[in-house]
Amino acid sequence: NMPNVTDNLNELKTFIDTLYKDAEKHDRGQKAAGTRLRKGLQELRTACQTLRVSILAERKDEDSSEENA
């Protein structure tokens, strides 16, 4: 069973929550935390883009199945 959009968003939300620790460390001046935070944000960006593409593909599939009905 494929995860739905809500499940994917919940995973993204959980991932964002994990970034807070490094954000706090970065705010206290820890350079390594800033590096981890930037890497995590890049991963988040990629995951968001993947989700966008998936949602668009679902919509296109629905549109094409309606045309064929």
Side-chain angles (χ1 to χ4, degrees):
N1 191 10
M2 282 183 26
N4 60 28
V5 174
T6 304
D7 292 339
N8 284 314
L9 284 176
N10 281 328
E11 286 180 27
L12 291 175
K13 196 163 119 179
T14 300
F15 183 69
I16 289 170
D17 288 342
T18 65
L19 296 176
Y20 272 94
K21 289 179 186 173
D22 282 326
E24 290 169 348
K25 290 177 184 177
H26 168 75
D27 287 346
R28 292 193 301 264
Q30 193 179 97
K31 291 182 181 180
T35 302
R36 289 190 302 272
L37 185 56
R38 287 194 318 272
K39 181 182 178 200
L41 289 171
Q42 184 62 39
E43 291 173 14
L44 179 63
R45 178 182 179 203
T46 302
C48 288
Q49 180 63 23
T50 301
L51 181 56
R52 281 187 73 246
V53 169
S54 172
I55 292 168
L56 185 58
E58 285 178 15
R59 188 177 83 185
K60 286 183 179 180
D61 286 346
E62 289 172 2
D63 289 347
S64 67
S65 65
E66 288 174 5
E67 290 174 6
N68 294 332

